[in-house]
Every structure is written in C-alpha cells, then in structure tokens.
C-alpha cells in the first residue's frame, strides 16, 4: 500500500465517502453504473478521517485520505480494500502563544524584564540619534549601528550562557590575578577571556523570599525571566517548597525549551551533577531542588505524581510535547556532566567501571534511565569516560549523553586523578559546539562551572580560582568557535560567596599568599602578631593545611576550626590550604551582593547597568528570538 504525507496544507476535516465510475468492461458505464456488458465494473471509494493532535502521522492534527476499489460491492471502503493512503497534516507549531506562557508573561517579574528590553532599545536609539546630530561624519559612522539597533530581535542565531556558580566579583578578580601570575605576570594587569567583552553590567541575585540566594532560584530567574524562591526549580514564587501539589500551574517555560520549540539544537553542560540546581533549571520543574532521583523524594510527592529531576531529563521531549499541544521537538542534543548515580538502579550489578561506592546507583524504582535514554535515541552516543569522549566524531554525532562521574565531576586541579578520566570544561564546550552547530537554525547552550561554588563552600580558594580560570578558557573556546555576528555569549554567576580580598598587599604579591605590604619583603602582622592571607572567608570550616591535596572536599573530614592560626611556616599557596574563616560553620555560605554579567554578540548592548537577574532571560529571548515573534 502506498503512503504519502503532505504537510502544511489547509484542508477540510469533514468526514466524506465518495465514489466514481470505474466500469472496466461497461460499454456505457457512467459513474459506476455499467452498460449491458459491465458486470465486472468496480466502484472506487475515497474515505477521509480527521486525526487528533498527537497522531503519529500528523502530530499537530490533520486528515487521513484513503482510497481503493469496492471489491465486495458493499459501498464501504474496508481496510483490506485500501490501496492508497495520504496524510494532509496541519503545520507543526514552532512558537508559543501568549496564552501558552501566561504563567510566565503575566508574572510581574516577567513584565518588568520585558519592559527593560523595550526601554534599553529606546535608550540606544536616543543615544544614536544624539550622536548622529553632532557631525556628518559621525552620522555616517553610526548609520549602520542605528539600523542594527532597530532590527535587533532575532539577530543571534546562537545563544550561549556561561554560569560560574558562585563566581562573585572577588572571585573574578582573584582568578584574573592568579592566572596572570601563573603566566609570569604581576597578575593584576591580566585579563580573563570575558574581561575583554565589550559590554558588562551587574545583576541583583536575591530570591523572592531570600536576601542571600541559592542556585535553584537564581538559575530559574535567568532561564525563565521570573524570579522565584529558594530551593525550587522552574516554577514561580507561588510554589510551596516541598509540596508536590503546588507544582501544577506554576511551571515556567525556559529559554532552552523555547529554543527547542523554535527548532534550534540545545545543550547542557555542567561540572556538577547534571541534575544539580543550575543545570536542572534549564529543563526541570520541581518543588524541591533535592529531588534529583526518586530515592530523594517523599512518598507523598511520588504518590502526587511529581517526577524526579533525572527522569525529567530523560523524558524532556515527551514532557514538553505534552505541555504544549501541537509542538514537535526532538529533545536535547547534548548533555554532559556528572551525577550518574541518579540514573542507575540501586543495584551493584549496574555499577560503572569507575564507581567509587560499592553500589553506585541511588534509584529505588529499579529504572535504568541510561538504557531508557538509549532506547529513545538509538542513534545517540552515551559516554562515561575520557576515552569515549575523545573518540567522538562530531560531524556524525547527532546526540550525546555524557555522565563522567558518580556524583560531581572532579575539580579542575584534581581532574587527572579521576579513575576513568574526565574531559575539561573547555573540552566539553568545544565538543558541544561542534555537534550543535550542525543545525542551520542555530543552537542554545548552557554551560556551568559548578565546582567554583563547591570549593568556596569548602573554604578552598585554590580550587575555586582554578575552576574559574577553566571557565575563562571555556569561554575563549566558544568565542573562537563561533562568529560574533550571529552568536550572543553571556557570562555571569548565579550568586557570590563570602570570599574577600583584603589587607594592603603590594602589587604582584601572590594572590594566595600572605599579605606583604608595599616596600616590604616580610609578611604583614595582625594585631595578634601573626601573619594573614590576602584572601579569606567570612564564615565556614576555616583553616586546613592539607598540603598537595587537590580535592577541596577533603576539608569536610574534620569540624570547623575556630580562632586564629599562626601561618608563619605554612605554605598558603599549596592546593590543600584552606583559608581562615571568621565565623565557624559546617560549610561556607553564599553572599548577597551583585554579580557581574559580561556579553558579546548580537544583543550584547542590552547588558549594561544594574539589573534584576531575570533580565538575562529577556536579553537571550530577544536577541535569539526564541519565541519566534519577530
């Protein structure tokens, strides 16, 4: 039987049964009524059937048209009589209506962010007009710029968002100096890759219910344009933390989801678990950021129909299509990070080659989400080590799922100690872009350096700064691999930490060293007669001297250290040195001050001044026209 599919044609959905003459032997056969010798004539029938939204042959509804000869002369086209089938399908939806995103667009945070974009456009047009009046030469020079401002929406074919988790302004400054000193410079004059971006501003990071935020609420703001509460993912502030029943109706659509609907390729990279708060906010909806797998959820949430975050990642395509009738997406093309334990059953038989725990998997529902993903995408590549990563052919790889560690990936300084080997953040970024840029419609990519945050929590500046430097390298890879004419790159942080640069060290003094004042060669002494370091923490675990230890998490083996320590004979520049902390806590905390945001490419000029964190979504959506509204 022949089968055809005709897309994007408007047709009547009326059911019909029609007939026409086919009097093979009829001398005077007319319209199926045969002449005296027409006893072998057959009637040809056509049958039309309306198809609902979600039909396998017409995802956004349509009509099935079947035809054939009525061989049993019952004037009904039976299934065995169908010789030809055609499908006339309604076009697939590639944009979301205002009603579809009402939960986003009616939210005050969203409305304010959209208004800021309009205001920024007006400011740029006004500035350009003023400059144009100054001189004819200037007017000619700015004519192109003015035209670009007026037609800004949609100029970014590709959008890349880099998030340094916990990378506050002091972290950026210290990382810049450390990288410079590693190069043999004094340090302060050095520039990280994103320091060179033409536009920069500040972002206010508070959550709706918190002065000092967490990563779940902050990344939700960046991805949805709506600020939300501490500890919740992909939902607005009307959510009740930990209450499954309050998720429905409060879900936000994200920039990544809009990119999928628009036909772009999408990718998520993190050095943390891929189910951790920051990467999860690109794809998941959850009343609790800790519901990374079913074993983390209370029975009431499971019974209430809430889905764990790892499962939401694997079911992303189906979940998104179920939320918005008529769309047809192909799922996230690139996923790389840690967190294998949340995808595997709690059974040693499923352990990976580099499992650290005796039982690697955490799932108590016996599901193996890795094999489920492979079943959905048989042409995709699943990898779990550096060898598999290096062997990938990006020109033929259409889909990639990489889980490189049982939990978080290694700190950059500790990466060579990984059992199976892990790619660096820069390497993952390069590989992702090589795969995603095969789509002529462009791509959206979110890249998180997640372990800056973890090193700060452990009170270890060495690892925090090394991972921030690696983020800078990843940004440079993206700059080199893309064209600033069609790619918007934004670099920012979700929040900062209580990490300080203090004292009066002289220019070029080792940023991880003890304070040595201008004109001196000896360490400065505090009022207690002991030296002190340039960088330190307001709170946390405090002093540790672990020598060459490159795993910052080793700090948690012992409790907080209170009071001052004599550092006279301690190498404070060693990887395992953990700075002193004023207030002893089991873990160092986030801070509440603004963080930096840096941008280049189409739409980058919208990154200026001090803004709500939710504005980042609006800049990405506007520059990339992710909602297809131009």
């Amino acid at each position: 039987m022949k089968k055809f599919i005709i897309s994007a044609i408007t047709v009547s959905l009326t059911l019909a049964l029609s007939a026409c003459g086919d009097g093979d032997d009829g001398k005077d056969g007319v319209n199926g009524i045969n002449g005296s010798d027409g006893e072998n004539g057959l009637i040809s029938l056509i049958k039309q059937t309306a198809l609902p939204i979600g039909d396998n042959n017409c995802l956004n509804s349509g009509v099935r048209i079947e035809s054939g000869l009525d061989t049993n002369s019952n004037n009904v086209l039976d299934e065995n009589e169908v010789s030809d089938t055609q499908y006339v399908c309604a076009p697939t939806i590639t944009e979301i209506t205002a009603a579809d995103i009402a939960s986003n667009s009616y939210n005050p945070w969203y409305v304010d962010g959209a208004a800021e974009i309009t205001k920024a456009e007006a400011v740029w047009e006004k500035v350009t007009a003023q400059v144009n009046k100054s001189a004819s030469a200037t007017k000619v020079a700015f004519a192109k710029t003015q035209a670009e401002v007026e037609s800004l929406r949609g100029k970014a074919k590709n959008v890349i968002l880099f998030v340094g988790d916990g990378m506050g302004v002091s972290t950026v400054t210290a990382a810049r100096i450390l990288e410079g000193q590693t190069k043999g410079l004094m340090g302060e004059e050095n520039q990280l890759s994103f320091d060179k971006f033409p536009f920069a501003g500040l972002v206010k990071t508070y959550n709706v219910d918190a002065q000092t935020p967490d990563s779940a609420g902050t990344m939700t703001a960046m991805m949805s344009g709506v600020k939300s509460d501490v500890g919740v993912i992909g939902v607005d502030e009307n959510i009740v933390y930990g209450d499954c029943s309050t998720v429905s109706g409060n879900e936000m659509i994200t920039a990544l989801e809009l990119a999928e609907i628009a036909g772009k390729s999408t990718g998520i990279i993190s050095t943390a678990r891929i189910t951790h708060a920051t990467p999860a906010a690109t794809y998941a909806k959850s009343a609790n950021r800790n519901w990374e797998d079913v074993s983390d959820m209370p029975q009431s949430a499971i019974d209430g129909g809430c889905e764990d975050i790892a499962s939401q990642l694997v079911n992303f395509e189906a979940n998104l299509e179920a939320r918005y009738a008529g769309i047809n997406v192909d799922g996230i093309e690139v996923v790389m990070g840690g967190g294998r334990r949340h995808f595997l059953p709690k059974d040693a038989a499923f352990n990976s080659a580099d499992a650290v725990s005796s039982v690697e998997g955490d799932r108590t529902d016996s599901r193996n989400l890795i094999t489920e993903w492979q079943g959905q995408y048989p042409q995709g590549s699943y990898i779990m080590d550096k060898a598999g990563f290096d062997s990938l052919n990006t020109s033929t790889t259409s889909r990639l799922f990489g889980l490189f560690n049982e939990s978080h990936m290694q700190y950059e300084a500790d990466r060579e100690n990984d059992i199976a080997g892990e790619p660096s953040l820069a390497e993952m970024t390069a590989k992702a872009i090589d795969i995603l840029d095969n789509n002529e419609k462009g791509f959206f990519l979110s890249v998180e350096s997640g372990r800056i945050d973890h090193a700060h929590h452990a009170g270890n500046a060495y690892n925090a700064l090394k991972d921030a430097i690696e983020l800078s390298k990843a940004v440079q890879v993206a700059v080199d691999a893309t064209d600033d004419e069609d790619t918007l790159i934004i670099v920012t942080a979700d929040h900062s930490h209580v990490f300080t640069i203090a004292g009066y060290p002289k220019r070029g003094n080792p940023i991880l060293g003890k304070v040595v004042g201008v004109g001196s060669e000896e360490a400065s002494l505090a009022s207690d007669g002991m030296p002190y370091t340039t960088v330190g923490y307001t709170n946390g675990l405090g002093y540790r001297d672990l020598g060459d230890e490159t795993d910052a998490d080793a700090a948690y083996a012992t409790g907080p250290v209170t009071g001052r320590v004599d550092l006279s004979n301690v190498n404070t520049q060693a990887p395992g040195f953990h700075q002193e902390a004023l207030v002893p806590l089991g873990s160092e905390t986030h801070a509440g001050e603004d963080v930096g945001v840096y941008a280049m490419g189409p739409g980058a000029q919208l990154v200026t001044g001090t803004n709500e964190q939710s504005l980042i979504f609006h800049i990405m959506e506007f520059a990339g026209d992710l909602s297809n509204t131009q």
Side-chain angles (χ1 to χ4, degrees):
M1 179 179 69
K2 293 182 292 182
K3 176 180 175 181
F4 303 93
I5 296 180
I6 306 172
S7 298
I9 297 177
T10 303
V11 296
S12 168
L13 298 183
T14 305
L15 294 179
L17 182 65
S18 60
C20 61
D22 188 16
D24 293 337
D25 297 330
K27 294 178 180 179
D28 301 307
V30 178
N31 199 27
I33 300 174
N34 301 293
S36 58
D37 295 328
E39 59 271 10
N40 293 325
L42 297 174
I43 296 175
S44 175
L45 299 178
I46 297 175
K47 179 181 180 182
Q48 298 183 40
T49 305
L51 302 175
I53 289 175
D55 183 86
N56 289 335
N57 293 293
C58 288
L59 290 172
N60 197 31
S61 76
V63 177
R64 180 172 64 244
I65 305 172
E66 300 169 302
S67 61
L69 297 177
D70 186 15
T71 56
N72 61 7
S73 301
N74 67 348
N75 206 35
V76 174
L77 187 63
D78 298 319
E79 184 176 347
N80 63 346
E81 295 173 335
V82 175
S83 61
D84 183 83
T85 301
Q86 297 186 27
Y87 292 89
V88 180
C89 300
T92 300
I93 294 174
T94 59
E95 61 186 68
I96 293 298
T97 67
D100 287 327
I101 58 171
S103 55
N104 284 60
S105 57
Y106 295 161
N107 187 287
W109 297 108
Y110 193 98
V111 172
D112 290 346
E116 286 297 318
I117 297 295
T118 302
K119 185 189 301 182
E121 283 186 276
V123 169
W124 272 86
E125 290 175 5
K126 183 176 180 180
V127 170
T128 302
Q130 290 172 342
V131 174
N132 284 348
K133 294 178 182 178
S134 64
S136 59
T138 304
K139 186 172 183 178
V140 172
F142 273 75
K144 182 173 183 293
T145 302
Q146 185 174 8
E148 288 176 349
V149 170
E150 291 170 351
S151 60
L152 179 63
R153 174 172 279 278
K155 292 300 182 183
K157 175 183 175 182
N158 310 311
V159 177
I160 306 176
L161 174 64
F162 284 94
V163 179
D165 196 318
M167 190 177 70
V169 172
S170 57
T171 301
V172 172
T173 302
R176 178 192 304 133
I177 295 172
L178 180 60
E179 184 190 54
Q181 292 176 343
T182 302
K183 296 176 181 176
L185 305 173
M186 296 187 77
E188 295 82 1
E189 74 279 25
N190 183 55
Q191 284 187 302
L192 297 172
S193 61
F194 49 90
D195 283 329
K196 305 171 188 177
F197 282 14
F199 294 94
L202 292 172
V203 166
K204 296 185 284 185
T205 63
Y206 66 94
N207 294 143
V208 171
D209 60 348
Q211 196 170 70
T212 297
D214 90 319
S215 297
T218 52
M219 190 61 171
T220 292
M222 286 189 276
M223 289 304 299
S224 70
V226 173
K227 276 183 174 275
S228 193
D229 291 347
V230 164
V232 299
I233 291 173
V235 290
D236 65 23
E237 70 265 33
N238 294 318
I239 194 79
V240 176
Y241 177 76
D243 186 346
C244 169
S245 68
T246 64
V247 172
S248 181
N250 292 318
E251 304 98 326
M252 299 288 98
I253 192 167
T254 69
L256 182 140
E257 290 171 329
L258 287 173
E260 272 286 318
I261 294 168
K264 294 180 183 292
S265 293
T266 55
I268 311 166
I269 297 172
S270 177
T271 52
R273 294 191 297 270
I274 205 66
T275 50
H276 215 232
T278 303
T282 65
Y283 63 85
K285 323 294 173 188
S286 181
N288 189 328
R289 59 172 287 175
N290 297 318
W291 292 352
E292 294 184 60
D293 75 61
V294 69
S295 69
D296 302 319
M297 299 174 67
Q299 191 61 45
S300 60
I302 298 172
D303 293 342
C306 281
E307 185 178 14
D308 66 82
I309 294 170
S311 180
Q312 288 188 57
L313 177 57
V314 171
N315 290 332
F316 172 84
E317 180 179 345
N319 288 347
L320 186 58
E321 290 179 344
R323 286 181 65 202
Y324 301 106
I327 68 168
N328 180 25
V329 299
D330 58 3
I332 304 168
E333 280 77 10
V334 175
V335 176
M336 285 188 280
R340 245 188 344 251
R341 71 189 192 197
H342 297 301
F343 295 83
L344 294 173
K346 194 170 185 177
D347 183 339
F350 295 92
N351 282 8
S352 303
D354 63 344
V356 176
S357 304
S358 58
V359 179
E360 180 180 25
D362 279 352
R363 300 195 66 86
T364 52
D365 58 2
S366 301
R367 290 174 65 191
N368 184 334
L369 297 186
I370 295 173
T371 57
E372 287 186 23
W373 181 89
Q374 290 172 316
Q376 288 184 49
Y377 306 110
Q379 304 304 316
S381 298
Y382 169 73
I383 55 175
M384 51 76 65
D385 56 19
K386 187 66 161 57
F389 179 87
D390 290 340
S391 66
L392 285 170
N393 182 341
T394 56
S395 63
T396 58
T397 300
S398 59
R399 196 175 300 271
L400 174 62
F401 190 22
L403 295 174
F404 300 108
N405 204 294
E406 178 179 316
S407 183
H408 302 301
M409 292 180 68
Q410 307 290 356
Y411 292 103
E412 176 59 25
D414 197 40
R415 188 162 55 86
E416 65 180 18
N417 295 323
D418 187 72
I419 298 171
E422 294 180 353
S424 68
L425 186 66
E427 289 171 331
M428 289 192 289
T429 300
K431 195 80 76 174
I433 292 173
D434 282 347
I435 294 171
L436 296 174
D437 67 6
N438 293 326
N439 186 345
E440 62 181 16
K441 292 184 179 180
F443 63 83
F444 176 90
L445 174 63
S446 173
V447 182
E448 184 208 20
S449 179
R451 307 229 65 192
I452 299 171
D453 175 75
H454 300 160
H456 276 322
H457 280 308
N460 179 227
Y462 180 93
N463 268 294
L465 302 185
K466 285 291 187 179
D467 273 52
I469 292 170
E470 180 60 27
L471 174 66
S472 174
K473 293 177 181 178
V475 171
Q476 188 61 54
V477 163
V479 171
D480 294 341
T482 58
D483 187 342
D484 63 2
E485 291 290 323
D486 67 5
T487 302
L488 171 65
I489 300 177
I490 295 178
V491 182
T492 189
D494 48 356
H495 55 74
S496 64
H497 277 263
V498 293
F499 174 68
T500 64
I501 304 174
Y504 295 102
K506 63 184 178 181
R507 171 82 187 277
N509 195 61
I511 190 64
L512 293 173
K514 300 158 196 167
V515 171
V516 176
V518 176
S520 177
E521 298 300 323
E522 299 295 327
S524 301
L525 301 180
S527 297
D528 57 11
M530 293 187 288
Y532 56 97
T533 56
T534 300
V535 297
Y537 294 93
T538 302
N539 59 42
L541 287 165
Y543 168 79
R544 304 281 193 275
D545 182 13
L546 304 180
D548 293 331
E549 176 60 69
T550 51
D551 181 4
D553 295 345
Y556 294 105
T558 56
V561 172
T562 60
R564 289 271 283 137
V565 175
D566 187 353
L567 304 176
S568 299
N569 298 313
V570 176
N571 179 11
T572 64
Q573 299 179 60
F577 177 76
H578 292 236
Q579 285 72 20
E580 295 174 286
L582 174 64
V583 179
L585 293 175
S587 176
E588 180 266 3
T589 71
H590 297 170
E593 72 268 14
D594 301 345
V595 298
V597 55
Y598 314 79
M600 67 176 292
Q605 65 268 31
L606 298 171
V607 176
T608 183
T610 302
N611 307 283
E612 296 293 352
Q613 195 162 40
S614 47
L615 183 69
I616 290 176
F617 164 86
H618 294 280
I619 294 170
M620 296 189 298
E621 190 282 318
F622 183 81
D625 191 33
L626 300 181
S627 62
N628 267 334
T629 57
Q630 69 172 352

